[in-house]
Amino acid sequence: KKRLPFRDSLFFIFVLCLSFQFGFSNNRDEVLNRARELKESKNFSQAIKEYVSYIKLFKNEAVNLKDVYFEVANCYFLNKNNFMAFKVIKETISRYGATKEDLEKSAILDKKLFEVAWADIFPEYTALRKQFVNRLNNVDIYVENNTVELKTK
């Protein structure tokens, strides 16, 4: 029985794509794990750099990184930089649609950070939420199903 060269090539390409994807996702996991280890060892400045590297790996993908942003905000807060912690939370609201309830009930966001930050965020909260809603492709789908479809540029 003779094998078709096209089929062999197709199989090879398929295996190559799978291994690339697996390697890429492993790299992402390594970066995130390194950031978390640095945070645990209280090396907040370096942890922030690793988190930012992780976020950049998703630059062209529609991935909700809300919890990762909360981790970054925690690092800034624990590093005594409230200004940047609040800025990251505001970005989470405008970019990923985080709600007050998300902030309050998050198992990740530091409770003390929320208490301190909310007074600063509250005056801008509605405007930040509107920025998120304006980025949605279909507001009705978001309201009905909580499914986010962002507009393409």
Side-chain angles (χ1 to χ4, degrees):
K1 184 175 172 182
K2 193 174 185 182
R3 294 183 88 181
L4 299 172
F6 176 73
R7 197 169 105 198
D8 287 347
S9 298
L10 201 57
F11 180 73
F12 177 73
I13 291 170
F14 177 72
V15 169
L16 194 63
C17 287
L18 276 179
S19 63
F20 175 74
Q21 184 63 32
F22 181 72
F24 196 60
S25 89
N26 265 354
N27 183 40
R28 289 176 174 177
D29 292 344
E30 287 174 18
V31 173
L32 184 58
N33 288 335
R34 197 165 42 247
R36 288 177 174 157
E37 288 169 8
L38 288 163
K39 182 181 82 177
E40 288 303 313
S41 64
K42 300 191 183 333
N43 189 346
F44 302 117
S45 296
Q46 198 59 39
I48 291 165
K49 289 177 185 174
E50 290 295 325
Y51 280 119
V52 170
S53 295
Y54 178 77
I55 290 166
K56 286 180 179 177
L57 292 172
F58 293 93
K59 180 172 58 175
N60 298 319
E61 297 177 43
V63 176
N64 191 331
L65 298 171
K66 183 173 27 181
D67 288 339
V68 175
Y69 272 65
F70 288 165
E71 291 183 60
V72 174
N74 287 342
C75 285
Y76 277 118
F77 180 66
L78 294 168
N79 209 29
K80 310 281 188 253
N81 189 341
N82 288 3
F83 174 80
M84 284 303 296
F86 298 175
K87 187 174 179 177
V88 170
I89 294 172
K90 290 175 186 179
E91 180 79 9
T92 310
I93 296 166
S94 66
R95 182 177 291 232
Y96 298 108
T99 63
K100 180 183 181 194
E101 184 178 11
D102 292 335
L103 302 173
E104 278 180 309
K105 297 191 175 177
S106 172
I108 296 168
L109 187 67
D110 188 289
K111 300 299 177 209
K112 287 181 184 172
L113 171 54
F114 170 74
E115 291 169 13
V116 174
W118 184 247
D120 184 76
I121 293 167
F122 177 73
E124 297 174 61
Y125 179 72
T126 301
L128 293 167
R129 289 286 298 159
K130 283 181 182 176
Q131 287 175 21
F132 171 70
V133 170
N134 288 338
R135 295 179 62 225
L136 294 174
N137 189 39
N138 189 327
V139 175
D140 293 331
I141 289 176
Y142 174 70
V143 171
E144 291 171 17
N145 307 323
N146 201 23
T147 302
V148 175
E149 289 178 18
L150 297 177
K151 294 177 184 170
T152 54
K153 292 182 180 180

